[in-house]
Amino acid sequence: MVKNKFFSLVFGTLLLAQTSIAANVSTAPIVRTFAPVTVLTSDQLKAIFLLSIPRWDDGTKITVIIMHQESNIQRRFFFDYFGLTPSRYVELINAKVFTGRASHPTIVTTETEMVKLVGRTVGSIGFIGSTIYIGDRDSVKVLNIKN
């Protein structure tokens, strides 16, 4: 009995700590260093990720890159910037894809993979959490977002 209470206390504390850490993950949108943009409005960013804007101002096709649906970083990014849960985002995207108005975003599993793919894909946009360092050799830059 005492053993079970101790396990519950330790497990509950670990779960609470994990939730607190995940809740504090901040995120930022990134683009390829040579992208024709450095600043977007929050409405433009949302429209791009919701596949409503298919091209940059210079005509380059936009490739949206996201993480898997269970990602805490993706969850935080969608909520902070769009007020959406990942499942609601998928519903909105599927509605466009199934009607032929858009193609699914590219999905990666890690932030490192996100940085590498955004850095080598012309016209791409993605996001990262605050836990990853972007160096000069990564070929990406963080976008400034205006409200």
Side-chain angles (χ1 to χ4, degrees), residues 31-32 63 65 106 115-125:
V31 293
R32 194 166 184 243
T63 300
I65 302 172
T106 302
V115 170
K116 287 179 182 176
L117 190 56
V118 170
R120 71 174 183 253
T121 306
V122 174
S124 62
I125 187 168

Side-chain angles (χ1 to χ4, degrees), residues 86-102:
S87 59
R88 180 64 181 140
Y89 175 80
V90 168
E91 288 173 9
L92 294 170
I93 295 305
N94 283 342
K96 289 185 180 175
V97 170
F98 295 145
T99 58
R101 294 181 291 161

